[in-house]
Amino acid sequence: MRAAVFKTETRKLAMETVPDPVPGPGQVVIKVHRCGICGSDLHMAEGHAYSFADGEIPGHEVAGEVVALGAQAQGVAIGDRVAVLPFVTCGECTGCKTGDAMACPQFRMFGSFGTGGGYAEYLVTNPAWCVRLPGSLSFDDGALVEPLAVSLRAARASGITTGDRVLVMGAGAIGLAAAYWARLSGAQSVVMAATSRRREAMARAIGVDDFIVPEEGRTLAEQTAAALGSAADIVFECAGVPGSLDLAVSAVRRRGMIAAPGFCWTPDAFSAMPAMIKEITLRYTNMYDTREFEIAAGALDKGHVEPRAMISDVVTLEQAPAAFEELRGRNAKCKVLIRPH
């Protein structure tokens, strides 16, 4: 099959022909129809603490079709259209049976430890990590389920309730998804903060009430209070850059909540005293479970399809290396999807 493979020598993707995946016992083969290029893929290509090994096939935002079943594979059928949690696990432990893949002692994620990801025509996974797509959803929608699930976990952890005033820091896919869930959760107002206005139109299409960028002579806390009418009840820190946590603390109210699905790839000096004085709650979240994938797909199925606004382009597999390089520079795009078939 064809695949876009990461090469450590150049830190770029290259098109190669690799063996077709074969399902082992309790596994299935997915024909990849869409795979999103994630910001974490771009970071891993830069050689941070977590990086792709030479020859890895990246890609964890996958939607496709079940085309082969291994022995004892149950729960899906040939032809099922699915959004795929990006894991390969033992399929038998408590974590696997409860939808918590990271609890599995044999946990592997697409694009690591030789587990091929979605920048390819096919991949292998377990039936437990396949969530059927409702008939109303396209494969484009299916590829959005993964980033939506990331932010859904943060929204659920935040305890957001009707009437809350929300600040979302970061206008990438995770920030846009956080704004989406804040709106669906009944937030009174949702404000997004970003370093530029490149994605303001996407944010407003998803339901953001106001969009703020740095202004000389005004702090983020001041801008947030002006936009929301007060300090934020909840801050979703989705930027994942050094200094973000201190800024989030400055903008949240006393005894407010900071939910942080943002992934900072470098050490971040954090001043604990302001957070202590405010008695804020800081809650980190990571990944998702099968139920959160189901909720995300269900929200789209019910007609809450605003996240489609974050899709900038759909490219072929052969175009993926060039698209990947473009996204590594400053650009106005958000979610670029790869179409292997």
PDB file of all heavy atoms in Angstrom, residues 256-277:
ATOM      1  N   GLY A 256     -12.296  29.721  40.379  1.00  0.00           N
ATOM      2  CA  GLY A 256     -12.702  29.266  39.059  1.00  0.00           C
ATOM      3  C   GLY A 256     -11.953  28.008  38.643  1.00  0.00           C
ATOM      4  O   GLY A 256     -11.156  27.441  39.397  1.00  0.00           O
ATOM      5  N   MET A 257     -12.203  27.573  37.429  1.00  0.00           N
ATOM      6  CA  MET A 257     -11.654  26.324  36.900  1.00  0.00           C
ATOM      7  C   MET A 257     -10.821  26.592  35.654  1.00  0.00           C
ATOM      8  O   MET A 257     -11.252  27.329  34.752  1.00  0.00           O
ATOM      9  CB  MET A 257     -12.795  25.365  36.541  1.00  0.00           C
ATOM     10  CG  MET A 257     -12.434  24.222  35.603  1.00  0.00           C
ATOM     11  SD  MET A 257     -11.310  22.984  36.289  1.00  0.00           S
ATOM     12  CE  MET A 257     -12.416  22.098  37.393  1.00  0.00           C
ATOM     13  N   ILE A 258      -9.630  26.008  35.611  1.00  0.00           N
ATOM     14  CA  ILE A 258      -8.832  25.977  34.392  1.00  0.00           C
ATOM     15  C   ILE A 258      -8.749  24.527  33.936  1.00  0.00           C
ATOM     16  O   ILE A 258      -8.226  23.671  34.655  1.00  0.00           O
ATOM     17  CB  ILE A 258      -7.415  26.525  34.609  1.00  0.00           C
ATOM     18  CG1 ILE A 258      -7.474  27.984  35.052  1.00  0.00           C
ATOM     19  CG2 ILE A 258      -6.587  26.387  33.323  1.00  0.00           C
ATOM     20  CD1 ILE A 258      -6.123  28.539  35.468  1.00  0.00           C
ATOM     21  N   ALA A 259      -9.311  24.233  32.767  1.00  0.00           N
ATOM     22  CA  ALA A 259      -9.230  22.902  32.168  1.00  0.00           C
ATOM     23  C   ALA A 259      -8.187  22.964  31.056  1.00  0.00           C
ATOM     24  O   ALA A 259      -8.265  23.839  30.192  1.00  0.00           O
ATOM     25  CB  ALA A 259     -10.580  22.467  31.621  1.00  0.00           C
ATOM     26  N   ALA A 260      -7.212  22.057  31.090  1.00  0.00           N
ATOM     27  CA  ALA A 260      -6.044  22.185  30.223  1.00  0.00           C
ATOM     28  C   ALA A 260      -5.813  20.950  29.374  1.00  0.00           C
ATOM     29  O   ALA A 260      -5.053  20.048  29.757  1.00  0.00           O
ATOM     30  CB  ALA A 260      -4.806  22.488  31.064  1.00  0.00           C
ATOM     31  N   PRO A 261      -6.472  20.891  28.193  1.00  0.00           N
ATOM     32  CA  PRO A 261      -6.116  19.835  27.245  1.00  0.00           C
ATOM     33  C   PRO A 261      -4.927  20.215  26.371  1.00  0.00           C
ATOM     34  O   PRO A 261      -4.440  19.403  25.604  1.00  0.00           O
ATOM     35  CB  PRO A 261      -7.388  19.703  26.394  1.00  0.00           C
ATOM     36  CG  PRO A 261      -7.951  21.090  26.378  1.00  0.00           C
ATOM     37  CD  PRO A 261      -7.634  21.674  27.749  1.00  0.00           C
ATOM     38  N   GLY A 262      -4.460  21.473  26.497  1.00  0.00           N
ATOM     39  CA  GLY A 262      -3.314  21.910  25.713  1.00  0.00           C
ATOM     40  C   GLY A 262      -2.054  21.157  26.120  1.00  0.00           C
ATOM     41  O   GLY A 262      -1.829  20.874  27.304  1.00  0.00           O
ATOM     42  N   PHE A 263      -1.212  20.840  25.164  1.00  0.00           N
ATOM     43  CA  PHE A 263      -0.005  20.034  25.384  1.00  0.00           C
ATOM     44  C   PHE A 263       1.210  20.933  25.179  1.00  0.00           C
ATOM     45  O   PHE A 263       1.536  21.296  24.058  1.00  0.00           O
ATOM     46  CB  PHE A 263       0.010  18.872  24.391  1.00  0.00           C
ATOM     47  CG  PHE A 263       0.982  17.763  24.744  1.00  0.00           C
ATOM     48  CD1 PHE A 263       0.545  16.449  24.855  1.00  0.00           C
ATOM     49  CD2 PHE A 263       2.321  18.023  24.939  1.00  0.00           C
ATOM     50  CE1 PHE A 263       1.426  15.424  25.166  1.00  0.00           C
ATOM     51  CE2 PHE A 263       3.224  17.016  25.248  1.00  0.00           C
ATOM     52  CZ  PHE A 263       2.773  15.714  25.360  1.00  0.00           C
ATOM     53  N   CYS A 264       1.870  21.313  26.279  1.00  0.00           N
ATOM     54  CA  CYS A 264       3.085  22.121  26.181  1.00  0.00           C
ATOM     55  C   CYS A 264       4.282  21.190  25.998  1.00  0.00           C
ATOM     56  O   CYS A 264       4.560  20.347  26.860  1.00  0.00           O
ATOM     57  CB  CYS A 264       3.263  22.986  27.426  1.00  0.00           C
ATOM     58  SG  CYS A 264       4.564  24.223  27.243  1.00  0.00           S
ATOM     59  N   TRP A 265       5.004  21.339  24.914  1.00  0.00           N
ATOM     60  CA  TRP A 265       6.066  20.408  24.553  1.00  0.00           C
ATOM     61  C   TRP A 265       7.402  20.753  25.193  1.00  0.00           C
ATOM     62  O   TRP A 265       8.375  20.004  25.058  1.00  0.00           O
ATOM     63  CB  TRP A 265       6.212  20.364  23.033  1.00  0.00           C
ATOM     64  CG  TRP A 265       5.022  19.752  22.368  1.00  0.00           C
ATOM     65  CD1 TRP A 265       3.827  20.353  22.111  1.00  0.00           C
ATOM     66  CD2 TRP A 265       4.903  18.412  21.900  1.00  0.00           C
ATOM     67  NE1 TRP A 265       2.971  19.467  21.504  1.00  0.00           N
ATOM     68  CE2 TRP A 265       3.601  18.266  21.355  1.00  0.00           C
ATOM     69  CE3 TRP A 265       5.764  17.309  21.873  1.00  0.00           C
ATOM     70  CZ2 TRP A 265       3.147  17.085  20.811  1.00  0.00           C
ATOM     71  CZ3 TRP A 265       5.309  16.125  21.316  1.00  0.00           C
ATOM     72  CH2 TRP A 265       4.010  16.019  20.791  1.00  0.00           C
ATOM     73  N   THR A 266       7.484  21.906  25.862  1.00  0.00           N
ATOM     74  CA  THR A 266       8.723  22.307  26.518  1.00  0.00           C
ATOM     75  C   THR A 266       8.424  22.668  27.965  1.00  0.00           C
ATOM     76  O   THR A 266       7.272  22.944  28.319  1.00  0.00           O
ATOM     77  CB  THR A 266       9.340  23.518  25.797  1.00  0.00           C
ATOM     78  OG1 THR A 266       8.380  24.583  25.755  1.00  0.00           O
ATOM     79  CG2 THR A 266       9.747  23.164  24.378  1.00  0.00           C
ATOM     80  N   PRO A 267       9.431  22.693  28.845  1.00  0.00           N
ATOM     81  CA  PRO A 267       9.186  23.056  30.244  1.00  0.00           C
ATOM     82  C   PRO A 267       8.553  24.439  30.351  1.00  0.00           C
ATOM     83  O   PRO A 267       8.896  25.358  29.596  1.00  0.00           O
ATOM     84  CB  PRO A 267      10.598  23.036  30.850  1.00  0.00           C
ATOM     85  CG  PRO A 267      11.363  22.089  29.989  1.00  0.00           C
ATOM     86  CD  PRO A 267      10.835  22.282  28.609  1.00  0.00           C
ATOM     87  N   ASP A 268       7.631  24.586  31.301  1.00  0.00           N
ATOM     88  CA  ASP A 268       6.897  25.833  31.473  1.00  0.00           C
ATOM     89  C   ASP A 268       6.995  26.278  32.927  1.00  0.00           C
ATOM     90  O   ASP A 268       6.505  25.581  33.826  1.00  0.00           O
ATOM     91  CB  ASP A 268       5.432  25.627  31.071  1.00  0.00           C
ATOM     92  CG  ASP A 268       4.612  26.907  31.148  1.00  0.00           C
ATOM     93  OD1 ASP A 268       5.210  27.992  31.300  1.00  0.00           O
ATOM     94  OD2 ASP A 268       3.380  26.818  31.049  1.00  0.00           O
ATOM     95  N   ALA A 269       7.629  27.409  33.177  1.00  0.00           N
ATOM     96  CA  ALA A 269       7.713  27.949  34.535  1.00  0.00           C
ATOM     97  C   ALA A 269       6.346  28.510  34.925  1.00  0.00           C
ATOM     98  O   ALA A 269       5.814  29.393  34.256  1.00  0.00           O
ATOM     99  CB  ALA A 269       8.778  29.039  34.596  1.00  0.00           C
ATOM    100  N   PHE A 270       5.798  27.968  35.995  1.00  0.00           N
ATOM    101  CA  PHE A 270       4.439  28.318  36.415  1.00  0.00           C
ATOM    102  C   PHE A 270       4.480  28.926  37.819  1.00  0.00           C
ATOM    103  O   PHE A 270       5.086  28.355  38.734  1.00  0.00           O
ATOM    104  CB  PHE A 270       3.576  27.051  36.409  1.00  0.00           C
ATOM    105  CG  PHE A 270       2.216  27.215  37.032  1.00  0.00           C
ATOM    106  CD1 PHE A 270       1.284  28.097  36.504  1.00  0.00           C
ATOM    107  CD2 PHE A 270       1.869  26.477  38.155  1.00  0.00           C
ATOM    108  CE1 PHE A 270       0.030  28.240  37.078  1.00  0.00           C
ATOM    109  CE2 PHE A 270       0.616  26.599  38.732  1.00  0.00           C
ATOM    110  CZ  PHE A 270      -0.306  27.496  38.192  1.00  0.00           C
ATOM    111  N   SER A 271       3.862  30.093  38.009  1.00  0.00           N
ATOM    112  CA  SER A 271       3.826  30.762  39.310  1.00  0.00           C
ATOM    113  C   SER A 271       2.624  30.263  40.099  1.00  0.00           C
ATOM    114  O   SER A 271       1.480  30.610  39.782  1.00  0.00           O
ATOM    115  CB  SER A 271       3.738  32.277  39.122  1.00  0.00           C
ATOM    116  OG  SER A 271       4.834  32.749  38.371  1.00  0.00           O
ATOM    117  N   ALA A 272       2.866  29.460  41.104  1.00  0.00           N
ATOM    118  CA  ALA A 272       1.777  28.825  41.843  1.00  0.00           C
ATOM    119  C   ALA A 272       1.045  29.790  42.775  1.00  0.00           C
ATOM    120  O   ALA A 272      -0.150  29.603  43.038  1.00  0.00           O
ATOM    121  CB  ALA A 272       2.310  27.644  42.645  1.00  0.00           C
ATOM    122  N   MET A 273       1.740  30.834  43.298  1.00  0.00           N
ATOM    123  CA  MET A 273       1.112  31.667  44.309  1.00  0.00           C
ATOM    124  C   MET A 273      -0.168  32.353  43.822  1.00  0.00           C
ATOM    125  O   MET A 273      -1.182  32.347  44.537  1.00  0.00           O
ATOM    126  CB  MET A 273       2.089  32.705  44.855  1.00  0.00           C
ATOM    127  CG  MET A 273       1.491  33.535  45.997  1.00  0.00           C
ATOM    128  SD  MET A 273       2.672  34.613  46.792  1.00  0.00           S
ATOM    129  CE  MET A 273       3.638  33.398  47.699  1.00  0.00           C
ATOM    130  N   PRO A 274      -0.201  32.973  42.630  1.00  0.00           N
ATOM    131  CA  PRO A 274      -1.468  33.578  42.194  1.00  0.00           C
ATOM    132  C   PRO A 274      -2.608  32.565  42.103  1.00  0.00           C
ATOM    133  O   PRO A 274      -3.753  32.881  42.438  1.00  0.00           O
ATOM    134  CB  PRO A 274      -1.126  34.151  40.808  1.00  0.00           C
ATOM    135  CG  PRO A 274       0.348  34.386  40.858  1.00  0.00           C
ATOM    136  CD  PRO A 274       0.892  33.257  41.685  1.00  0.00           C
ATOM    137  N   ALA A 275      -2.298  31.344  41.683  1.00  0.00           N
ATOM    138  CA  ALA A 275      -3.323  30.299  41.628  1.00  0.00           C
ATOM    139  C   ALA A 275      -3.788  29.917  43.028  1.00  0.00           C
ATOM    140  O   ALA A 275      -4.987  29.687  43.265  1.00  0.00           O
ATOM    141  CB  ALA A 275      -2.783  29.077  40.900  1.00  0.00           C
ATOM    142  N   MET A 276      -2.855  29.860  43.966  1.00  0.00           N
ATOM    143  CA  MET A 276      -3.216  29.547  45.343  1.00  0.00           C
ATOM    144  C   MET A 276      -4.069  30.643  45.957  1.00  0.00           C
ATOM    145  O   MET A 276      -5.064  30.385  46.638  1.00  0.00           O
ATOM    146  CB  MET A 276      -1.949  29.316  46.165  1.00  0.00           C
ATOM    147  CG  MET A 276      -2.191  28.984  47.632  1.00  0.00           C
ATOM    148  SD  MET A 276      -2.273  30.462  48.676  1.00  0.00           S
ATOM    149  CE  MET A 276      -0.563  30.973  48.659  1.00  0.00           C
ATOM    150  N   ILE A 277      -3.687  31.893  45.739  1.00  0.00           N
ATOM    151  CA  ILE A 277      -4.441  33.013  46.308  1.00  0.00           C
ATOM    152  C   ILE A 277      -5.878  33.005  45.803  1.00  0.00           C
ATOM    153  O   ILE A 277      -6.824  33.264  46.558  1.00  0.00           O
ATOM    154  CB  ILE A 277      -3.738  34.342  45.975  1.00  0.00           C
ATOM    155  CG1 ILE A 277      -2.415  34.438  46.758  1.00  0.00           C
ATOM    156  CG2 ILE A 277      -4.635  35.538  46.289  1.00  0.00           C
ATOM    157  CD1 ILE A 277      -1.550  35.604  46.355  1.00  0.00           C
TER     158      ILE A 277
END
